[in-house]
Amino acid sequence: MAKKTIKEKLSWNLDEILKAKDFEKLYKEIEKEMGQIEGWVKKLNPEMKEETFRGIMDFEEELGKKITRLEYMPYLLEQVDQKNQEAKKLKGRADDLGVKLAQKSRVISHWLIGKETEGLKRLDDKNAKRLFASIPDLEYGLNYARTAAKYTLKKDEEDIISHKDVNGANQLINLREIIETEFEFDLKIKEKKVKKVRTLSELLSLVHSPKKEERLAAYRAMLFKYWQNIDKFFLIYSAIVKDWGYEAKLRGYKSPISVRNFGNHVPDEAVETLLNVCRDNREIFQNYFKYKAKRLGMKKLERWDIYAPLEKKTKKINFGEAKELVLETFENFLPKFAKLAKRIFEDQHIDSHPSPVKRGGAFCATVMPEISPYVMLNHDNQMRDVFTMAHELGHGIHSLYAAHHRMGSQHANLPLSETASTFGEMVLFERIYSFEQNIDIKRSMLSEKMADSFASILRQNYFVIFEKRAHEAIQKGITAEELSEMWLSTLKEQFGNSVKIDKIFKYEWCVIPHIVNSPFYCYAYNFGELLSYALFARYKKEGKNFIAKIEKILAAGGSEDPDEILKKVGVDMKSEKFWQGSFEIIKEWQKELEELG
Ligand SMILES: [Zn+2]
């Protein structure tokens, strides 16, 4: 058995990106080529030939690819070996060179978006249109950047802002992290003696425990610590919110959340519709919590019970079995999915198992079109690891579908970036679920699916609803306690009468790093997930015919406006009806769960 596990263990091979021994050579090459940028800058002229323009863009892309190789190799190396000092050193050098390169080529990007640039004639709209059209693959991205110019300030002002961010908001975020890392949590399970817990992730692993006293103790230990430091967290958060709001106004955005929406290539209206439809469907999850209480033999769930498992025993699945299952599922859905996923395995671009020096979690890194993506996993023989594998390979498949694009337009923009990954998970879920004979396992699978959907959809949605309220209130003036009350009221709205919420949860808002570090970021999760559910619902209804449309979406990568891509397949992300389709799927799961008893 042990032998088999070792054989299954995959380590990724980074040679295709860059061999460690070639780092210096490439570094020098980039330095040298950076010297050519000035020559290209001199050629910038609104009346220039399309051919010259393509030459400049090709030069930029080639140089971009070189710096990407230089940065990615040590970055990925460090992900699987966090103690690797050599990797850290190389990464630092690559990043520094990257910053220098970005600074040098900023003149080009500034000129492209139509800013006044010393010594150059400004690029007018008409010529911009003509030149951009000569590279259809980059046309959308270049035009979008030009639209962004209206939110850009003068160069001097931008310089001040970037310094202010580096030494202001960014340092506050670092300070918050320092405060957090210094925490030592006092875990007290029942009347036993206090156990010191050093990390939040160790503590949070207990919220899925089958034992109530462990879940309760974990939440108490965590929230107590945050409450003790509430003034610090409030101070940091207020400063960031005020700064964000000030800058949004200065740049001319309609509202604080519009800053994020624009960056995500999503219209404000679509986000508003999403937030509302999600909120209006909260009852589905409330019904789930009521059902769960019954199953667990409780009158009503308390907040610390919501992630309690229905079954104490779980099914184990090793890496080899997981791989087989995922590839088989893809093959069944669409052979091309399986073919592309296999390529990632064959290219040795997968790092499969946890190790003491490897970072946790999982991701898929799209380096550039000519290299198949890299997938990091931490397979621990749990059922959820199989879904993670399907999810990350889904991202990889998406990248490979879009590998005919240039580097700048391979990667899908936010609204569509989770399409293949969520699809992968959904088809896997359906397959495992339909083959499973044991009713207890079926029930526990569905229950977990509901709990996961709650966490990635409704919970994230309410983070953003809270943020909208908080950003408004902080501008007007509010105390830490009032802000915490505000959080509690969003919890009450979210759970209705389905879950009893202890007062200590008031302080939960400061536990969530995204709320502070990247305002309004969290709707990315429910947006991506629900969009994919809705597409999946269409696939279920229209069958194989819809697959061609999915492929079209995937192949577009980031080369077109996401709204346009979706319209082409008959989807309007501003329509309530479209989003409602996703909730019909979740409703079905809940119905099925109740039928299982
Ligand atoms: Zn993902």
Side-chain angles (χ1 to χ4, degrees), residues 39-45 47-60 111 130-131 134-135:
W40 286 105
V41 167
K42 283 196 192 113
K43 291 190 184 170
L44 293 172
N45 185 320
E47 278 90 36
M48 71 178 139
K49 284 195 187 128
E50 282 95 340
E51 211 184 304
T52 319
F53 176 66
R54 278 198 299 267
I56 297 174
M57 297 313 279
D58 287 346
F59 165 77
E60 255 209 327
W111 185 82
R130 174 181 65 88
L131 293 172
S134 73
I135 312 177

Side-chain angles (χ1 to χ4, degrees), residues 156-265:
D156 293 357
E157 294 167 338
E158 286 294 345
D159 281 347
I160 295 173
I161 287 193
S162 76
H163 274 93
K164 178 228 19 158
D165 284 347
V166 170
N167 300 311
N170 292 1
Q171 297 310 329
L172 286 172
I173 290 167
N174 289 339
L175 179 63
R176 184 187 171 279
E177 216 176 287
I178 292 174
I179 298 172
E180 236 178 6
T181 2
E182 280 173 356
F183 280 176
E184 201 174 55
F185 303 98
D186 295 332
L187 187 69
K188 198 176 172 198
I189 299 168
K190 279 189 168 168
E191 295 313 311
K192 281 180 210 148
K193 72 174 201 316
V194 175
K195 188 189 160 203
K196 296 277 181 202
V197 175
R198 281 292 298 152
T199 66
L200 195 57
S201 61
E202 197 184 325
L203 202 60
L204 285 175
S205 68
L206 291 176
V207 309
H208 295 277
S209 162
K211 292 183 190 142
K212 187 185 181 94
E213 61 274 16
E214 288 188 357
R215 301 191 299 264
L216 172 66
Y219 276 117
R220 279 219 173 121
M222 173 178 86
L223 293 165
F224 182 73
K225 217 47 218 187
Y226 282 85
W227 167 71
Q228 275 186 321
N229 290 275
I230 189 80
D231 290 339
K232 295 175 205 155
F233 287 120
F234 177 71
L235 185 95
I236 292 170
Y237 185 49
S238 306
I240 286 176
V241 165
K242 283 182 183 166
D243 182 60
W244 181 277
Y246 174 75
E247 205 176 309
K249 218 181 226 165
L250 198 66
R251 292 182 182 280
Y253 284 98
K254 250 201 281 170
S255 66
I257 197 173
S258 305
V259 181
R260 178 68 63 197
N261 297 347
F262 186 81
N264 283 340
H265 299 239

Side-chain angles (χ1 to χ4, degrees), residues 10-12 319 341 344-345 348-352 374-375 377 393:
L10 306 176
S11 301
W12 58 28
F319 188 79
I344 301 174
F345 277 99
Q348 295 178 45
H349 286 189
I350 295 190
D351 206 277
S352 61
Y374 280 79
V375 171
L377 302 169
L393 284 173

Side-chain angles (χ1 to χ4, degrees), residues 101-167:
L101 173 60
Q103 252 166 11
K104 277 205 129 180
S105 41
R106 194 163 292 147
V107 189
I108 301 180
S109 50
H110 242 79
W111 185 82
L112 286 174
I113 62 171
K115 291 268 153 190
E116 293 290 352
T117 319
E118 219 186 289
L120 294 173
K121 208 170 147 197
R122 190 182 159 270
L123 177 61
D124 56 287
D125 286 347
K126 203 176 144 222
N127 276 308
K129 217 173 151 207
R130 174 181 65 88
L131 293 172
F132 294 176
S134 73
I135 312 177
D137 210 41
L138 293 181
E139 200 181 357
Y140 166 68
L142 288 169
N143 280 322
Y144 200 77
R146 243 179 118 81
T147 321
K150 72 172 181 210
Y151 301 121
T152 314
L153 306 170
K154 290 196 200 92
K155 196 182 163 293
D156 293 357
E157 294 167 338
E158 286 294 345
D159 281 347
I160 295 173
I161 287 193
S162 76
H163 274 93
K164 178 228 19 158
D165 284 347
V166 170
N167 300 311

Side-chain angles (χ1 to χ4, degrees), residues 391-392 395 418 421:
H391 183 102
E392 299 309 336
H395 278 303
E418 292 297 331
S421 55

Side-chain angles (χ1 to χ4, degrees), residues 326 361-363 375-378 383-394 425 428:
V326 170
F363 65 81
V375 171
M376 192 195 87
L377 302 169
N378 267 298
M383 212 51 213
R384 89 171 70 89
D385 297 327
V386 191
F387 287 102
T388 306
M389 184 193 286
H391 183 102
E392 299 309 336
L393 284 173
E425 274 191 80
L428 180 67

